[in-house]
Amino acid sequence: MKLKTPELEGDDVLELQRRIVAFGSKGKPVPCTGKFDVDTKAAVERFQKQFGLEQDGIVSFDEYWTIDNWAAEMKPAMEDFLDDYACDHSNVTGDYLKKCNELWSGHVKGKIEIVGSTRTAGGASTCKGFGSQLTQVALTSGKTWTYSKTIDLVENPGIDKTLFWMVMGVMSIYGVRRLKVNNGYRCNFKYFQINKIHGPASMKNHTGHAVDFTIPGSGIARPNGKSLTPRTSKAEHCNQIRDDLASFGIVETFDENTKNRGRTEPRKHAPTWVHLDTTVYEQHTYVKSVEEAIAPQAKLVALPVRLSQRAEANQESLSLLHRHVEQERRGGYFPIGANTIWHGGVHLRVTEGSRVYACLPGRIVAARLAMDPIGSYGSRNFVLIEHHWRDRTFFSLYMHLASQKAPPEGLEEAATWLKHGGRSGDLLTQLADGAVVALDVPVAAGDTLWASSKYGSGGHRTGLLHWEIFAEDHLFEGRKPSKENVKDLLPNAEPKTPPTSRKILIREFQGPTSVDPGETAVYRISKLNVADPTAEEKKQINWRVEWPGGSEVLEDHGPVLQLEVDGTRAGQEVRVMPYMNSPSSDIAVKTEVSTRPQIKWTLVEDGDNDYNVDTEAIRELFADGVLTDGVITDDELADFYADERRATPLRGYVCKFISEWGIPDLSAAIKKLVGRWTTVGLESRIKPYLWWKDAVKAGVDLPGSAHVWHYNPIQLLCALLPARLVLATTRVGSIDPHEAATDKFILDHDITRRDVWGRHVPRYSEINADWGYTLITVHHAGDSGAHTPQEIEEKHMVSNGWSDVGYHFLIDPEGHIYEGRRLFLQGAHVKDNATSTGKVGIIVLGDFEPNWWDDDDEPTTRQMASLLSLALWLKALFPSIKTLGGHRDWDDTACPGETLYEQLPMIRVKARLGAP
């Protein structure tokens, strides 16, 4: 199947950008636009480098898990910051205007008086800190000029979330836990004071999204390895901070007209304050607590049905779902069914008419809601959703749904996807015809899909939902685990001068009493009462782990212990004690703990298409005489899955076999069931449920074969649960492989990236994709005489109004090669789009057509050498490229100019390319 270009846009992208806003680069701040662009991808790579993750620019479990742990680590520091940022008189009764009066009087010899009525229930004598409209005040000036103004005194609505994460990043950059807040722009009086006394009236309102600060302390390490200037030189101290933050793309915008040594910084009234603000961003979300700021914004995982009052998907509710399938009901197990046949999903027993929900965000790609045929086993209706995980695609199937006739009350209104089908006519009518309908409708986790129906033969028919997840490729195959599960999140944490004497005070860790099966508990020494141990001493940290009936000592393990827990330890108490092999001194070790699922996947593949479980990897699990007759019965299955010790490991099996919905030769498969199943009339009764071929015929982009990997859907949700935003509707982690190949090509050949030299932002969403090139087309700048890529960009994007530069590459007179339109996108350099398809466009900058009315150029030696190199590189990337020609070979034009065109034969000979 083809990998679709991801839609990298949405609220979850915006939340990601806010969280990594401190990881931009000089001149390329992280855009908080909600669009996943090249700058965002580069910021992700810098974040990955900072925390020791694989630098691939792809957002996945490890990235969000690291963000969560970073936030947890910084939570106390950020709580202190918010205390400093809120009003000095927050929650203090009395004359809260006293301090304001002191400030106003000190600046303008004036005073503040209450002139209006109280606007909030707190009364004019109470300042709440965030979001209160207090009262009306009159501001008067007694300075050399007279000023009088009445304003509504209003506190800020909280702190802008982007500013919150920016400040947290600044602390991490310097390895500090506190900033000295000089001005938090806490209320509109502070804004008004700066605006009227120190700045132009047109200055944007900073209330809630600006802060002035300094970094207290000495010996603070900078990112470049140097130390900040001692605070005795306050201006230079702050200038160094501004330089550092500029290198991280953290831009100061207090006053863009006042420069000091090339830096943008505050006006003269505060040369020793560093100013940050987020007024340059268009979208602002205000929060009043650390919990609000770090909370995930999108629901990733939802339960497909409600089996109890527990509606939220978490480890507890998913464990209950496992128990429901394996112990509370008979049949419908994963991955094996009675008579030893494959079963790709699980059965959830619910009352007929129960609502069914999307378990993950994605797009509905196929559905059927028809009446059940007479004599069938029950409902053959389904909804199929396509999802993306990193660069992989997978599907979730919800089978045995109710028909559209007489649906439960309120169901049509709840299933909002039916109103967004993008198809002519009534979508419900189309779904009821009995045919599989191809769709492309986005859904979020927890969205109502439809209602359950019944399935089964004779008196065994009962309300249930068949739920399964399958993929063409194993979702986690070839993915490297993170180098460490917990990182030292703050750089420069090593003390410069270790204490001369040390004594380790051993304290037992007071953590959780048990760890769930399938989890890894990570114990981390995070704080020490006196000082951190030296690097050598860190290596000598030991851990004693105690379980009922035994214990284990892990020597020289270091400050992080990753303790994997399997199902045999379920519910057992775990005690962990850290200590060190070191004499003397006073250090008390305090530890913290976090857990993450550590699911081990076991891959099993059945090579044939007969749907019978004949792989030893599965059959050997059913030992002890269960398979003496070669067939597993209902009773034997129920006994096996009732034993949690045996059933738990099977949850992590990923099995590749023919989908029961796409069996290619149903007759042959049924013949193998003779003697194990009543087969009379079985083929005619099963055939209506085989929807796979019908879906492909309808245009659904399914895997190329129905021989696919099947996951226990409950276990997969357990694995994805901590990923938080990764799968939220925008497919942040799904990167087009052609884009990845383009990035590698640019990097390998040291070509200047488009986002480095460009002045305008391309509109990539307006450009068609292209790949598999067969031709190279050479151009020149013509009468414009352009010698720089910026001149071409100005002409194409501003004068012509194009979405981007039309050429894929640009070569200047010095031979420097610049990336133009990204290589995986269709160029716009020959006549029309259709003619440009399949052609790599290269412009050699200059005018190479001799004319009496203008100055002409000659192609430089460096330009021709670069053109040859680029042609060879492209030919290596695309063996399909056989031809190199000039623009005039495909269009009525003089381009690429006579003096350049006459040198193309030489390029063709050396690159072994043909003429048009």
Side-chain angles (χ1 to χ4, degrees):
M1 62 177 294
K2 58 181 181 292
L3 181 65
K4 296 179 179 178
T5 302
E7 298 172 1
L8 306 181
E9 185 173 356
D11 289 342
D12 59 318
V13 177
L14 176 61
E15 288 302 323
L16 169 69
Q17 291 168 329
R18 286 170 170 162
R19 283 158 167 73
I20 62 172
V21 70
F23 294 89
S25 63
K26 192 173 184 65
K28 294 291 180 181
V30 179
C32 291
T33 59
K35 294 183 179 181
F36 195 100
D37 58 9
V38 291
D39 291 335
T40 303
K41 186 171 184 288
V44 170
E45 292 172 352
R46 283 186 288 272
F47 175 86
Q48 291 168 330
K49 181 179 181 180
Q50 174 78 8
F51 293 108
L53 303 174
E54 182 181 358
Q55 290 176 246
D56 55 9
I58 299 176
V59 183
S60 184
F61 173 93
D62 287 331
E63 285 70 28
Y64 275 101
W65 192 80
T66 301
I67 289 173
D68 286 348
N69 279 275
W70 174 39
E73 176 77 15
M74 293 296 295
K75 184 177 179 181
M78 294 309 295
E79 287 173 341
D80 291 340
F81 170 76
L82 287 190
D83 286 342
D84 294 338
Y85 188 80
C87 180
D88 294 334
H89 292 270
S90 295
N91 300 313
V92 175
T93 58
D95 187 5
Y96 71 93
L97 287 178
K98 181 179 179 181
K99 184 67 175 179
C100 299
N101 256 315
E102 291 174 0
L103 292 170
W104 186 256
S105 177
H107 281 293
V108 301
K109 309 293 185 186
K111 63 180 180 178
I112 303 175
E113 294 180 298
I114 297 177
V115 297
S117 60
T118 299
R119 300 300 181 90
T120 57
S125 61
T126 303
C127 177
K128 296 296 183 183
F130 284 136
S132 301
Q133 183 168 329
L134 299 172
T135 188
Q136 282 188 330
V137 296
L139 300 96
T140 57
S141 170
K143 215 172 182 180
T144 55
W145 43 269
T146 301
Y147 182 81
S148 178
K149 177 72 173 177
T150 299
I151 65 170
D152 288 328
L153 186 58
V154 182
E155 297 162 307
N156 65 31
I159 182 171
D160 183 18
K161 190 185 291 187
T162 305
L163 181 63
F164 175 95
W165 286 89
M166 188 180 287
V167 168
M168 197 165 93
V170 170
M171 289 191 191
S172 294
I173 288 170
Y174 291 102
V176 298
R177 297 302 182 95
R178 189 139 196 170
L179 303 178
K180 185 180 185 301
V181 178
N182 298 291
N183 192 347
Y185 297 87
R186 305 173 181 96
C187 67
N188 66 334
F189 164 68
K190 293 295 291 181
Y191 152 67
F192 184 86
Q193 176 190 354
I194 300 298
N195 185 24
K196 292 299 181 184
I197 306 304
H198 298 294
S202 61
M203 189 184 79
K204 292 183 178 179
N205 189 339
H206 281 37
T207 306
H209 40 78
V211 64
D212 291 335
F213 72 93
T214 53
I215 299 179
S218 59
I220 305 298
R222 300 173 65 188
N224 59 12
K226 301 178 181 179
S227 296
L228 287 174
T229 303
R231 290 296 311 284
T232 51
S233 176
K234 294 181 179 180
E236 182 58 25
H237 178 89
C238 290
N239 279 336
Q240 291 174 352
I241 295 172
R242 294 182 187 106
D243 279 345
D244 294 339
L245 299 189
S247 70
F248 284 84
I250 302 175
V251 182
E252 296 181 280
T253 57
F254 189 97
D255 180 4
E256 296 183 352
N257 298 315
T258 302
K259 303 285 185 178
N260 179 15
R261 294 170 54 194
R263 303 174 184 86
T264 305
E265 59 181 39
R267 280 181 172 269
K268 296 179 180 179
H269 79 284
T272 56
W273 294 355
V274 178
H275 181 88
L276 297 179
D277 74 65
T278 55
T279 57
V280 294
Y281 296 108
E282 294 182 0
Q283 302 185 58
H284 304 282
T285 300
Y286 297 97
V287 294
K288 301 178 182 180
S289 67
V290 175
E291 287 76 12
E292 280 187 86
I294 66 178
Q297 299 299 302
K299 181 190 291 185
L300 169 65
V301 175
L303 301 178
V305 294
R306 304 287 188 260
L307 295 177
S308 66
Q309 296 301 316
R310 294 178 175 87
E312 290 299 316
N314 51 41
Q315 293 294 348
E316 181 183 5
S317 61
L318 291 172
S319 295
L320 292 175
L321 213 56
H322 272 308
R323 189 173 299 118
H324 168 85
V325 171
E326 296 168 354
Q327 300 177 22
E328 296 178 2
R329 300 290 189 273
R330 292 171 65 91
Y333 308 109
F334 174 89
I336 190 169
N339 295 299
T340 326
I341 63 171
W342 289 111
H343 188 241
V346 296
H347 286 178
L348 305 178
R349 265 66 176 196
V350 291
T351 305
E352 183 181 12
S354 297
R355 291 193 179 182
V356 176
Y357 307 93
C359 65
L360 296 164
R363 305 185 77 82
I364 298 176
V365 294
R368 177 172 60 197
L369 297 178
M371 292 295 293
D372 297 330
I374 298 175
S376 70
Y377 284 119
S379 169
R380 61 194 183 101
N381 297 324
F382 69 92
V383 169
L384 181 68
I385 304 179
E386 176 188 282
H387 313 277
H388 294 266
W389 169 256
R390 296 176 71 94
D391 58 350
R392 308 294 171 93
T393 299
F394 66 101
F395 298 84
S396 63
L397 173 70
Y398 309 80
M399 189 74 183
H400 310 316
L401 301 181
S403 72
Q404 53 82 35
K405 185 177 181 180
E409 184 178 355
L411 183 59
E412 286 189 41
E413 291 72 20
T416 56
W417 63 273
L418 292 169
K419 303 178 179 66
H420 302 282
R423 303 179 64 86
S424 60
D426 181 8
L427 182 55
L428 264 180
T429 301
Q430 297 176 51
L431 293 170
D433 286 342
V436 175
V437 178
L439 299 165
D440 185 17
V441 185
V443 288
D447 281 359
T448 299
L449 298 178
W450 198 239
S452 63
S453 185
K454 289 184 176 183
Y455 184 78
S457 59
H460 299 288
R461 183 171 298 192
T462 182
L464 68 79
L465 172 72
H466 173 99
W467 174 40
E468 75 174 69
I469 290 178
F470 63 85
E472 183 172 20
D473 300 302
H474 178 43
L475 299 180
F476 303 97
E477 188 175 42
R479 288 295 169 192
K480 298 178 182 178
S482 56
K483 296 177 183 177
E484 289 183 21
N485 285 326
V486 179
K487 292 292 172 186
D488 186 0
L489 302 181
L490 298 178
N492 310 312
E494 291 287 343
K496 293 194 175 296
T497 306
T500 55
S501 62
R502 296 173 179 274
K503 181 180 179 182
I504 307 305
L505 176 61
I506 299 175
R507 288 186 178 178
E508 182 178 330
F509 172 70
Q510 301 297 326
T513 58
S514 66
V515 181
D516 290 336
E519 285 190 333
T520 294
V522 180
Y523 298 87
R524 177 179 182 230
I525 297 175
S526 61
K527 293 183 179 179
L528 299 158
N529 286 1
V530 176
D532 285 341
T534 64
E536 184 60 32
E537 285 174 324
K538 281 185 176 182
K539 297 178 183 177
Q540 300 176 18
I541 296 177
N542 301 333
W543 299 79
R544 179 180 177 86
V545 182
E546 297 181 354
W547 301 94
S551 64
E552 182 179 4
V553 174
L554 304 175
E555 296 183 349
D556 298 340
H557 198 280
V560 175
L561 171 65
Q562 175 178 312
L563 184 64
E564 295 189 5
V565 184
D566 59 32
T568 61
R569 299 291 190 183
Q572 294 184 0
E573 183 176 351
V574 55
R575 301 172 67 196
V576 176
M577 179 187 298
Y579 62 97
M580 293 177 67
N581 294 326
S582 178
S584 69
S585 196
D586 304 309
I587 298 181
V589 177
K590 179 183 178 183
T591 58
E592 297 175 352
V593 68
S594 58
T595 60
R596 64 177 288 183
Q598 189 73 18
I599 296 175
K600 296 180 179 178
W601 302 106
T602 302
L603 306 186
V604 175
E605 187 167 359
D606 186 354
D608 56 41
N609 291 330
D610 62 10
Y611 202 59
N612 291 280
V613 181
D614 47 20
T615 57
E616 283 303 313
I618 297 293
R619 296 174 67 91
E620 67 185 7
L621 297 175
F622 296 84
D624 304 325
V626 173
L627 279 174
T628 54
D629 58 355
V631 178
I632 300 175
T633 66
D634 284 332
D635 290 338
E636 289 168 338
L637 273 178
D639 290 342
F640 176 87
Y641 280 97
D643 184 346
E644 189 172 1
R645 178 183 58 85
R646 293 194 295 172
T648 297
L650 195 53
R651 298 171 183 172
Y653 275 59
V654 187
C655 304
K656 190 171 187 179
F657 53 84
I658 191 69
S659 170
E660 62 188 284
W661 321 110
I663 300 174
D665 190 341
L666 185 58
S667 298
I670 288 177
K671 287 178 182 178
K672 289 197 174 185
L673 299 176
V674 174
R676 301 191 297 173
W677 205 336
T678 301
T679 59
V680 177
L682 188 60
E683 182 174 353
S684 62
R685 298 181 71 179
I686 291 179
K687 193 171 183 179
Y689 296 89
L690 305 186
W691 53 261
W692 190 286
K693 289 183 179 179
D694 293 337
V696 172
K697 186 181 296 186
V700 181
D701 188 19
L702 289 173
S705 166
H707 202 94
V708 290
W709 292 101
H710 294 79
Y711 284 80
N712 183 317
I714 308 171
Q715 193 74 343
L716 185 60
L717 259 60
C718 288
L720 297 179
L721 186 62
R724 297 287 175 85
L725 307 176
V726 179
L727 288 174
T729 53
T730 57
R731 314 174 187 174
V732 172
S734 181
I735 302 299
D736 190 315
H738 296 162
E739 180 179 356
T742 298
D743 290 338
K744 186 177 187 302
F745 183 83
I746 298 300
L747 180 65
D748 288 348
H749 300 300
D750 198 25
I751 297 170
T752 303
R753 286 174 56 102
R754 173 74 174 87
D755 58 303
V756 171
W757 65 263
R759 295 171 179 169
H760 302 284
V761 179
R763 301 186 298 278
Y764 290 136
S765 62
E766 300 175 3
I767 307 174
N768 294 327
D770 202 359
W771 201 249
Y773 294 98
T774 59
L775 304 166
I776 296 175
T777 305
V778 180
H779 303 257
H780 75 146
D783 291 343
S784 69
H787 293 91
T788 66
Q790 290 83 3
E791 291 175 276
I792 298 297
E793 180 190 52
E794 190 74 14
K795 177 183 177 182
H796 285 191
M797 296 190 68
V798 178
S799 300
N800 296 352
W802 294 358
S803 302
D804 192 12
V805 171
Y807 312 108
H808 292 106
F809 299 98
L810 305 92
I811 305 175
D812 73 8
E814 295 298 318
H816 297 141
I817 304 175
Y818 299 85
E819 180 188 29
R821 184 168 298 201
R822 308 224 68 200
L823 193 54
F824 62 90
L825 298 174
Q826 184 185 67
H829 52 91
V830 178
K831 192 176 292 185
D832 53 34
N833 286 342
T835 314
S836 291
T837 300
K839 296 182 178 67
V840 178
I842 303 174
I843 180 173
V844 180
L845 292 167
D847 180 3
F848 307 120
E849 179 66 21
N851 288 304
W852 60 267
W853 59 79
D854 62 5
D855 294 329
D856 303 311
D857 301 299
E858 290 283 339
T860 67
T861 302
R862 291 181 177 179
Q863 281 180 313
M864 299 313 297
S866 294
L867 178 59
L868 174 60
S869 296
L870 185 54
L872 291 169
W873 298 336
L874 288 167
K875 183 181 175 183
L877 180 61
F878 301 104
S880 53
I881 291 180
K882 305 295 184 183
T883 305
L884 181 145
H887 185 182
R888 65 173 66 177
D889 293 318
W890 290 279
D891 208 348
D892 184 16
T893 176
C895 182
E898 190 62 33
T899 55
L900 175 57
Y901 188 76
E902 64 187 14
Q903 295 196 44
L904 294 187
M906 177 267 294
I907 299 292
R908 282 194 286 265
V909 170
K910 293 185 177 182
R912 295 186 178 181
L913 292 171

